[in-house]
Amino acid sequence: MSAPPTAVNRPSLPLRLLRSPVGRILVFAVTLSALGFIAGRIYNGIGLPRGSLPFDQVTPLIEAFRLLPIVIAYWLLVRTIERRRIDELAPRKAVPHLALGLIGGAALFSLVVGTLYALGVFVVDGVNHDVAWLGPILVTGVGAGVGEEIISRGVLFRIVEEGLGTWASLIISAAFFGGVHIWNPGATAWSAIAIALEAGLLFGLLYNVTRSLWLCMGVHAAWNMAQGPFYGIPVSGFEQHGLLASHMQGPEWLTGGAFGAEASVAALCICSMATAVCLAVAIRLGTLVPPPWRRVPQAPVV
């Protein structure tokens, strides 16, 4: 005679709400706000400079105060609410995935610059020998790569994908990623759309295929560092003093205008091709998550 089935312990309603996609995003936002407030009070208390600083005046300590609230808020979300290991930031993936991402991001943006150079749009005037590397790398590389990827891919894309599927997650996270850049200097509606299409979709699919934030961080950081500190092109509207003294010439739809090469049609086309490759890989590997109404229900664990 078989034993009666064991009752399934179902979490309480408040816990289920906290663990829902909307609940987890709200928990992260509230935690980040609280940690940001605390970090801001400590920052002011030890007398660090306030306001918007030029990139070359940013120190590792200043950047740490900007990034630590994001990193800690994500750690708390995953470990306390989701109750799992942070596999997307597993230490074993750090070196190989970061290296691959850095190489890929630098190569991708160099392809954009090479195209603009061949079209006579990107012009090199000489070499700067007085480049301040640390600050720009901290802000455009480490800061943007780590902070923006945790928020846009680690939180928004990943959690929305669980709730609504990959396609909805790509659209929502890409729109968010483009939207937050609308406040940058020189930004226009077109530059926000371009960022959403060329970076938001690409980085989302990179995460979908690899489930690695390290790779996304590497690509993002290398793209920005190649663009600003090396080629001397504005990074999302922020002027740069790079190794190469350069300027753009030609129509804004090719140069990207004051926002930089990210708003160029050339960048959009090249990144769209890379996105198409990632989509083909995702389809082949079967990593695209279907929407909830197309999922096969699984039997509960007894």
Side-chain angles (χ1 to χ4, degrees):
M1 188 177 197
S2 60
T6 304
V8 178
N9 292 325
R10 193 177 186 188
S12 63
L13 178 60
L15 187 56
R16 294 204 304 272
L17 291 175
L18 281 178
R19 290 179 177 174
S20 69
V22 174
R24 282 180 283 159
I25 292 173
L26 289 176
V27 166
F28 176 80
V30 171
T31 306
L32 178 58
S33 298
L35 292 174
F37 175 78
I38 295 171
R41 297 300 294 267
I42 298 174
Y43 183 98
N44 294 332
I46 61 179
L48 291 174
R50 303 183 185 184
S52 180
L53 299 175
F55 287 178
D56 58 1
Q57 294 183 17
V58 176
T59 65
L61 181 60
I62 292 174
E63 194 61 34
F65 271 97
R66 297 174 178 178
L67 282 181
L68 278 177
I70 300 174
V71 174
I72 295 173
Y74 190 69
W75 185 87
L76 289 172
L77 170 71
V78 175
R79 297 298 293 164
T80 64
I81 302 299
E82 298 181 352
R83 305 284 299 274
R84 65 176 181 85
R85 294 181 300 178
I86 312 177
D87 293 326
E88 59 273 22
L89 285 173
R92 71 181 185 279
K93 299 178 181 178
V95 173
H97 286 202
L98 269 179
L100 181 61
L102 290 171
I103 294 170
L108 186 63
F109 190 78
S110 294
L111 184 59
V112 173
V113 172
T115 302
L116 295 175
Y117 181 82
L119 294 172
V121 176
F122 177 75
V123 180
V124 178
D125 302 313
V127 177
N128 293 314
H129 300 285
D130 58 342
V131 180
W133 292 96
L134 181 60
I137 288 176
L138 286 172
V139 178
T140 65
V142 179
V146 175
E148 293 181 13
E149 289 309 306
I150 286 178
I151 294 173
S152 298
R153 256 60 64 179
V155 176
L156 191 60
F157 176 84
R158 178 180 63 83
I159 294 177
V160 173
E161 185 184 46
E162 291 178 17
L164 299 176
T166 302
W167 291 111
S169 180
L170 281 172
I171 294 171
I172 292 171
S173 63
F176 170 82
F177 192 64
V180 296
H181 287 81
I182 195 66
W183 312 108
N184 289 21
T188 62
W190 162 249
S191 68
I193 293 172
I195 286 284
L197 295 177
E198 71 193 28
L201 296 180
L202 176 59
F203 294 159
L205 281 170
L206 279 175
Y207 180 80
N208 172 270
V209 170
T210 65
R211 299 296 163 182
S212 171
L213 281 177
W214 292 119
L215 183 70
C216 297
M217 290 173 179
V219 174
H220 193 156
W223 170 284
N224 283 358
M225 289 188 293
Q227 184 173 198
F230 186 78
Y231 289 113
I233 299 172
V235 177
S236 301
F238 293 97
E239 288 292 336
Q240 300 293 307
H241 182 72
L243 178 64
L244 297 182
S246 62
H247 71 275
M248 296 281 197
Q249 60 184 23
E252 285 198 3
W253 61 273
L254 267 179
T255 66
F259 192 78
E262 291 161 313
S264 168
V265 170
L268 178 59
C269 292
I270 290 171
C271 288
S272 295
M273 288 189 285
T275 300
V277 171
C278 289
L279 179 59
V281 173
I283 293 173
R284 179 164 185 153
L285 296 179
T287 58
L288 298 177
V289 179
W293 56 87
R294 293 185 57 190
R295 298 174 191 172
V296 178
Q298 298 180 352
V301 178
V302 177

